[in-house]
Amino acid sequence: MDSKGVLEYARKHEAKILDLRFTDLPGLWHHISFPIHQLEESSFEDGFGMDGSSIRGWASIHESDMLLVPDPKTAFMDPFRDVLTLVMIADVVDPITRQSYPRDPRFVARKAEAYLGFSGIADQAFFGAEAEFFIFDNVHFDQRQNEGFYHIDAEEGRWNSGRAEHNLGYRPRYKEGYFPVPPTDHYLDLRTDMALKMESCGLNVECHHHEVATGGQAEIDLRFDTMLRSADNMMLFKYIVRNVAYQYGKTVTFMPKPLFQDNGNGMHTHQSLWLKGKPLFAGDQYAGLSQTALWYIGGLLKHAASIVAFAAPTTNSYKRLVPGFEAPVNLAYSRRNRSAAVRIPMYSASPKSKRLEFRPPDPSANTYLAFAAMLMAGLDGIENKIDPGEPLDKDIYDMSPEELKNVPSLPGSLEAALSALEKDHDYLLKGDVFTEDVVRLWIDYKMNNEVNAIRMRPHPYEFQLYYDI
């Protein structure tokens, strides 16, 4: 849809309000609303003014004025508002220079796509992310000087099996929640409503299902799209999932590991490159891959420790990324081993379906930054012909300690991942896709606001371990 098409779309749907969305540094959507009459064809060049001084990771007070320039390709009608509301995702522009704002995460993803074309390797990168989430009935948490706690509950949680009042049973066992039919699957209708809302907003849903964990873990899969559009789609995906659940009196979390000793939320990310309408990852090598695909894997594996600073970007992420639980911590590739960081799906022999799946990411990621980092790492692998080594096709639990010590693994904490990013980010700077300022800003923000904040606070389990020491 172009600018004229958006104006006609707004008239057709009798929109009364324009809502512009943009993303802060950690990856949350923000918005500002205008009466629809303020939207004109010139708005798609002139933009709308806003104050960016209080947006996390953005400008300081003395340079806070920003412009939001709507992208007409992202228009949809918000299905949750009482007043008919037209929504568009906006790019952030400096009002003085009229240049894209370097700290806008969406601009980083735009530059990554531009660098792909400039490289001559491919002209399209397709990404498809599988974001998992939990549907809970209640959550309360707090952190003060004298206390810190959280409590979550879900009607479907196996821990409620011993409840005395109104207990009808039918709850997935821990780690046995994959694909049960109702009534064990409590949320089939809720997920269907989410999927249909997504379709009404222009997203292409492939399927939805219950996930492995108890307590309402779910997955809804979107069809792949270009890298930028897939990042946009994931922002809309989260918005719809949260709001549908809210309408049902439920709460959703994309936290990587909200439940102890059950599966966490991943965001396995499928990737492929195309040139002039032809897939570049299909070939006659391992698992039907091309040499180009193997080099791309080599880049992902070489830079994985720094990639996860963006793709698994919370302290909670590393409670999911631990050995066991099929956690993809091993820096290897395989067509069947789900503990490998890179998996090659074998569902179809069609060259158009040939892709690779990078498994460490989780849905706490800012998808604009995470997808851009993955693409830049893969391109670095192709440009430098990085050998990914031998595939890991053995069962990891059958491997001897001698064999295991030769398989490198991901960092064990966010702090270690940020340290890896500090040492290894030259590949991100190519084509000015990431800047030193953005990389430094990310490291400082995460260290000061998350790593050090967690380090300074007592953990509830420490009282069980140490109170009587």
Side-chain angles (χ1 to χ4, degrees), residues 275-324:
L275 179 63
K276 297 179 180 178
K278 295 183 179 180
L280 298 182
F281 279 7
D284 57 2
Q285 304 212 30
Y286 175 80
L289 294 175
S290 65
Q291 182 62 65
T292 297
L294 290 173
W295 287 332
Y296 190 102
I297 292 171
L300 286 176
L301 296 179
K302 177 181 178 181
H303 300 297
S306 58
I307 293 171
V308 293
F310 292 108
T314 67
T315 57
N316 187 252
S317 299
Y318 297 86
K319 292 175 171 61
R320 166 183 170 256
L321 292 175
V322 293

Side-chain angles (χ1 to χ4, degrees), residues 121-134:
I121 293 170
D123 52 25
Q124 284 185 306
F126 287 108
F127 276 59
E130 302 171 345
E132 298 164 346
F133 54 92
F134 278 91

Side-chain angles (χ1 to χ4, degrees), residues 26-88:
L28 284 184
W29 242 5
H30 296 258
H31 77 124
I32 183 170
S33 302
F34 305 87
I36 197 65
H37 64 75
Q38 292 199 33
L39 180 64
E40 302 172 347
E41 195 164 352
S42 60
S43 304
F44 294 90
E45 289 188 10
D46 297 341
F48 294 81
M50 60 89 65
D51 176 8
S53 61
S54 297
I55 304 301
R56 295 180 297 177
W58 278 24
S60 56
I61 293 292
H62 72 279
E63 52 180 18
S64 59
D65 290 342
M66 299 288 172
L67 291 176
L68 295 177
V69 179
D71 182 344
K73 296 184 179 67
T74 64
F76 67 93
M77 294 299 296
D78 193 320
F80 303 105
R81 307 281 64 85
D82 293 332
V83 176
L84 295 169
T85 300
L86 172 71
V87 179
M88 282 184 282

